Amino acid sequence: MFEGINMSSNYIRFSALQERVISAEEAASFIQDGMVIGMSGFTRAGEAKAIPLALANQERKSPLKITLVTGASLGNDLDKKLTEKGILARRMPFQVDSTLRKAINHAEVMFIDQHLSETVEQMRNFTLKRPDIAIVEAVAISEDGFIIPTTSVGNSASFIELADKILIEINTSVNPAFEGAHDVYIPEKRPNRAPIPLTHVDDRIGTKGIPFDSEKVLGIVFNDLPDSPSTVTEPDLETQAIADHLIRFFENEVKTGNLPKNLGPLQAGIGSIANAVLTGFKDAPFEDLVMYSEVLQDSTFELIDAGKMTFASGCSITLSKKCSDRVFNNLDKYKDKFVLRPQEISNHPEIVRRLGIISINTALEFDIYGNVNSTHVGGTKMMNGIGGSGDFARNAHLAIFVTKSIAKGGAISSVVPMVSHVDHTEHDTDVLVTEQGLADLRGLAPRERAKVIIENCVHPDYKDAVADYFERACAKGGHTPHLLKEAIEWHTNFEEHGTMQPKSI
Amino acid sequence: MFEGINMSSNYIRFSALQERVISAEEAASFIQDGMVIGMSGFTRAGEAKAIPLALANQERKSPLKITLVTGASLGNDLDKKLTEKGILARRMPFQVDSTLRKAINHAEVMFIDQHLSETVEQMRNFTLKRPDIAIVEAVAISEDGFIIPTTSVGNSASFIELADKILIEINTSVNPAFEGAHDVYIPEKRPNRAPIPLTHVDDRIGTKGIPFDSEKVLGIVFNDLPDSPSTVTEPDLETQAIADHLIRFFENEVKTGNLPKNLGPLQAGIGSIANAVLTGFKDAPFEDLVMYSEVLQDSTFELIDAGKMTFASGCSITLSKKCSDRVFNNLDKYKDKFVLRPQEISNHPEIVRRLGIISINTALEFDIYGNVNSTHVGGTKMMNGIGGSGDFARNAHLAIFVTKSIAKGGAISSVVPMVSHVDHTEHDTDVLVTEQGLADLRGLAPRERAKVIIENCVHPDYKDAVADYFERACAKGGHTPHLLKEAIEWHTNFEEHGTMQPKSI
C-alpha cells in the first residue's frame, strides 16, 4: 500500500520526522550483538514486522544474539524465523511458537516467563535491563508528537520511554481510523507514584498515543503486512458444556444477589476454551456486560454485535480473518465500544482488585486441592507461559480456571492428585470448570475442595482412581493430604507408558 | 484495673452505650451453634479475650461449633482452649497454635489458609459468610462514636461493618494513649470503588477509630488481660549471617543506583529470622528507613530508637515483654512514628505495588527454581499459614525469602530440587537468602536461577547432591528440568528415614 516518501506525510504528520524514513535493512543494521530489544506485539497483534524480518534475513559474518522483549506472542512467524537464525539469546515475557518452544526446552533460548503486567515495571526498577532499542509498530505519528499504535499497545509505551533509541514501523495495511482507539497511561515514578485514576472500564486516563523524544528516533520504516489471524478454533461440545456450567453458575449468583445483573467486568484468557466460554454468553440472560481484559477476541465483538456487551477494554485485539474484516473495516461503528491500553494497565493488580474482575483463564491441569498448572507439560516442558493469568487470578473477585477434563484422547487426566508445576496456588482459585461440571471452591478447606473437585470435574474414566487416591491420602492425615510418591506417578506413568490411565498401569 | 461501672465512663464516652456493660459470660451466651464469629486479633495482639475465654469455660448441654475468623493468630492460648473444647468447626485466615495445628492436620478443624488482605474482601463480595457477631477489643469508645482498637486493627473494622451484631471488649490494661495511633479506612463498595488514596507510608486516609451502628451492640465487656508477649527469639549466628548477606546486597543496590538511599518501604514477616534481619539494619549504612508492613515487631522499635527508622505502618504491634514495657509506657514518644491500619490496607496489592515495597518473608523451604513453600511440612501438614507473605511478595518491588539452609539438625535441607508444596511461584520471587549466601534471581531463566541458588544457598552437606540432581535433570531437558520421582524422594526419604541426607539414603 505504501507508495513512497510522498505519501509518508499522511502517516508522519510530525514534521521533524518526515525525512527519517529508512529501509528495513538499514533499520535492522542498528541492532547489535548483545542488545536488549523492546518490541511491540501482543498475542499476534501489532508487532513490528519489517525490521525483525530484515534482521532474520540479514547476512552476517559474526553471530548476533539479542534479548527480545515484547508484549506477548508475535505473529508472522517472527519467533520461528528469529529462532531458526539463532538470533534469540533471551526471550520474554510470553510466546506461543512451536519452534521457539522447542529451543526453550532445549535451553538454546533462555526464556523468562513473566506476569505480563510486570515486565516494564521490572525495567523501570532495574530488575530487568532496559531496551537498547525500542521497535514499535504504528498507524501514524501525529502532528502533536504521539506515536499512534496499531492493534496492540502492549509494552510499547514504556519501551519507548526506557529505550536509548527508537525505531518506528508504520503499517499502511492497518485502518488509520485506529487513531483514537488507544489510551496510553504510564504509572508515575516511585516514591511519589499517585493512584492510577481508572475506576470504570471505559475511563480514559491517558493520551491518544505514545509520547516520545524525537531525538531518540533512529528511523522510520514502512510495512504493509497484516497481523496474523487468530488461531482460535470454533467451540466444540466440551467447550460448550464448560460455557453452560459457567453460565448456570453465574445465573445462580445473580439470583442470590451475590453478583450484579451484568456480573461485573469480565476477563478471558487467550485460547479456544476461554473464547468459547465468552461466545456462550451470547445466549445467556445477562445484559450490559463489560470487559476488562488483555486480548479482545472474536467473542468480544460477537457479544458487542449481539447487543450483550457495552464496552471492552484490552491491550490488544486479535481476531480471525472473518471477524477482523468485519471489525477493522467498520471501526467507526466499534470505536466508542473499546479501548486499547498498555498491558501494565490492562492487567494491573491495582485495577483488577478495584474493579472486582471476573477472571476466566485456561489451565493445562489442576489438582484436587485447586492448584493450577498453566505452563509446564509434565512439570518440565514449557508450553507458552503464564501470560496475564496470574495478574488477574491473584486479584480477581472470582478467579475461574477452565480446562477439558482429559487430553490426548484420554491418555491424560487434566485433574490430577498433585499438579506437576504450580502457577496459581489454591489460595488464588475460586472456581474450576471442566465439561463434566463446576467446582465452587469458595470458603472451603482443602479436604472440602477435593470432594467438590472430584465430584464435579474429573472425567468418568479417572474418577474412581482420583477418589481412591484422595481417600487413602486422607487416611494418612494432614491439612492437604498427599501420598507424594503416588501423586507423582500420575505424571511419570504418562511419561513412561504414554497414559495416566489406571487400568493401563 | 477495672473497678466497676462508675469508671466505665472514661472508657465508654459514647453516652448511649454507657449502660450496656455486661459480663463476659452473658456476652458468650449470645454465641450460638453454627455462627460465624469475626474477632479482633492479629499475631497475638489485640484479640478479644474475656468473651472467648468465657466461651471456652461455658457449661453446655449440646455441642457448640462455630466458624472463627480473626485478623491472624491469637494470644492467651485462645486457639488452644477453644480447640480443646471442640468449639472450632472452621478457622481462618491464619493461626500459630500447636493444639489447633494438630486438630487442623487431623481434619477436626477445617482451616482456610488465606492471603490476609483478602478475608474481608471475600466477605464483602459474598465469597465468605459474613459474621453473625463481631467481637472486638478496644481501648475506648469515643464520644463521637468510634470504637478505638487496641494493639491491632486487623479485620475489626470490616467485621463490625458486616456483622449482624457487635460485642465490644474494653481492655483496661492497654495504655489509653493508644487512641490516635490508628487510621481506619475501608475500601468503597464496587462497582464505584475509588482508588485508595494512600501514597506515602505515613499518610492518614481514614478515621481515628471504627465507625459503628450502636443499634447492633449486644453489650460491652471489660477485661484487663495483657496481650501475650512475642515469642520471637534472639538473633543467632545463622540469622545474623542472613542479615549480613542482605545488607551487603542492599549496599550494592544503593551504590549502583538501583535502590534509593533509604531502600524504599520495608516489609518483614513475623518470626525470628525476619525480625533478626531487620535488627541487623541497626548497624547498616542506611538512613531514614520506613516500614510498610503487617506487624511491628521489636526490631521496628529498635530501629526507631537507633534513629534509623523514621516511620512504620502496620496493622498490629507484637512485642516482647521488655520491648512492650518500653514502647507502651512511652507511647507519646513513639506515637508520631507509627500507625496501625486495617490489614486489608497494610497488605493491599494496590498499595504494595504503588509504594514499591521491599518484602522480606520466611520460607519453610525453597527449590532450585525459586518456588517457595511457606506452609506445608512434607507437602501435607499445615504449619501456620501463608499469612501476608503472598500479599507482599506478589506485588513487591523486591520479593525476598529467607530461611536457614538446613533444619532438624541437618536432617532437612531447606533448599530442595522441588518443593513439596508451592505458596509462592518462581514468577514472584526475586532474591533468596540462607546463611550460606544470597541468590539474586532477577531477570534469570529457570536453569540460570538453579545455578545461582545451588552456588549460593545450599548447605555444604547437600550441595553436591543438589548439583548432581540439577545436572542430570538438565541432561533430560525441559525449560524447568526435573526428575520427578527423584525430586519427590527428597521428601519421602525424610518421611521414611528421618533424613534427606544423601549419604544415609
Side-chain angles (χ1 to χ4, degrees), chain A residues 190 353 376 476 480 495, chain B residues 190 353 376 476 480 495:
Chain A
R190 296 168 181 151
R353 178 88 168 240
H376 281 69
K476 211 180 148 212
T480 303
E495 207 176 294
Chain B
R190 295 168 181 151
R353 179 88 168 240
H376 282 69
K476 210 180 147 212
T480 303
E495 208 176 295

Side-chain angles (χ1 to χ4, degrees), chain A residues 307-367:
Chain A
K308 287 285 189 178
M309 182 169 280
T310 59
F311 198 87
S313 165
C315 77
S316 86
I317 187 166
T318 303
L319 304 177
S320 66
K321 179 74 177 61
K322 194 173 148 196
C323 187
S324 72
D325 287 346
R326 187 173 87 242
V327 173
F328 294 161
N329 295 331
N330 295 285
L331 270 180
D332 288 345
K333 182 179 153 198
Y334 293 100
K335 228 162 136 184
D336 62 342
K337 297 196 170 59
F338 79 92
V339 68
L340 300 181
R341 311 178 188 280
Q343 69 197 72
E344 188 178 18
I345 303 302
S346 67
N347 291 27
H348 204 289
E350 172 173 340
I351 308 297
V352 175
R353 178 88 168 240
R354 181 182 302 148
L355 297 181
I357 282 173
I358 296 181
S359 127
I360 306 170
N361 290 288
T362 306
L364 212 56
E365 60 176 3
F366 56 77
D367 70 25

Side-chain angles (χ1 to χ4, degrees), chain B residues 380-489:
Chain B
T380 59
K381 286 194 185 147
M382 173 54 60
M383 187 63 138
N384 300 326
I386 192 168
S389 57
D391 288 325
F392 290 102
R394 176 65 183 82
N395 297 287
H397 172 167
L398 282 175
I400 300 166
F401 284 90
V402 296
T403 185
K404 295 184 183 185
S405 71
I406 49 173
K408 303 252 175 211
I412 289 176
S413 174
S414 309
V415 190
V416 291
M418 190 167 81
V419 287
S420 58
H421 178 91
V422 178
D423 289 297
H424 310 284
T425 73
E426 57 93 7
H427 306 283
D428 296 325
T429 57
D430 297 312
V431 171
L432 301 176
V433 199
T434 69
E435 82 288 351
Q436 299 296 318
L438 179 146
D440 179 358
L441 310 178
R442 294 176 294 172
L444 299 185
R447 286 174 189 238
E448 298 168 321
R449 297 181 145 230
K451 275 181 204 149
V452 304
I453 291 171
I454 295 169
E455 183 57 33
N456 293 288
C457 297
V458 184
H459 191 276
D461 289 355
Y462 286 97
K463 200 162 177 173
D464 288 348
V466 180
D468 177 58
Y469 171 90
F470 174 61
E471 197 179 315
R472 286 180 294 109
C474 283
K476 210 180 147 212
H479 178 61
T480 303
H482 267 307
L483 308 167
L484 292 179
K485 274 186 190 168
E486 198 176 319
I488 279 299
E489 278 170 6

Side-chain angles (χ1 to χ4, degrees), chain A residues 235-285:
Chain A
D236 59 21
L237 282 177
E238 282 84 18
T239 56
Q240 187 57 51
I242 291 171
D244 291 346
H245 295 311
L246 256 178
I247 285 162
R248 270 201 301 278
F249 167 79
F250 287 134
E251 281 176 356
N252 198 50
E253 289 294 296
V254 171
K255 199 159 40 173
T256 56
N258 288 358
L259 285 179
K261 279 181 185 165
N262 81 337
L263 306 181
L266 299 170
Q267 176 265 333
I270 51 166
S272 302
I273 302 183
N275 190 60
V277 168
L278 270 203
T279 301
F281 277 80
K282 268 200 303 191
D283 306 314

Side-chain angles (χ1 to χ4, degrees), chain B residues 287-344:
Chain B
E287 307 294 332
D288 302 325
L289 296 170
V290 295
M291 176 168 253
Y292 195 83
S293 195
E294 283 176 357
V295 188
L296 309 186
Q297 304 178 76
D298 284 17
S299 50
T300 308
F301 293 92
E302 284 168 29
L303 289 171
I304 288 174
D305 287 345
K308 287 284 190 178
M309 182 169 280
T310 59
F311 198 86
S313 166
C315 77
S316 86
I317 187 166
T318 304
L319 304 177
S320 67
K321 178 75 176 62
K322 193 172 150 197
C323 187
S324 72
D325 287 346
R326 187 173 86 242
V327 174
F328 295 160
N329 295 332
N330 295 285
L331 271 181
D332 288 344
K333 181 179 154 197
Y334 293 100
K335 228 164 136 183
D336 62 342
K337 296 194 170 60
F338 79 92
V339 68
L340 299 181
R341 311 179 188 278
Q343 69 197 73
E344 188 179 18

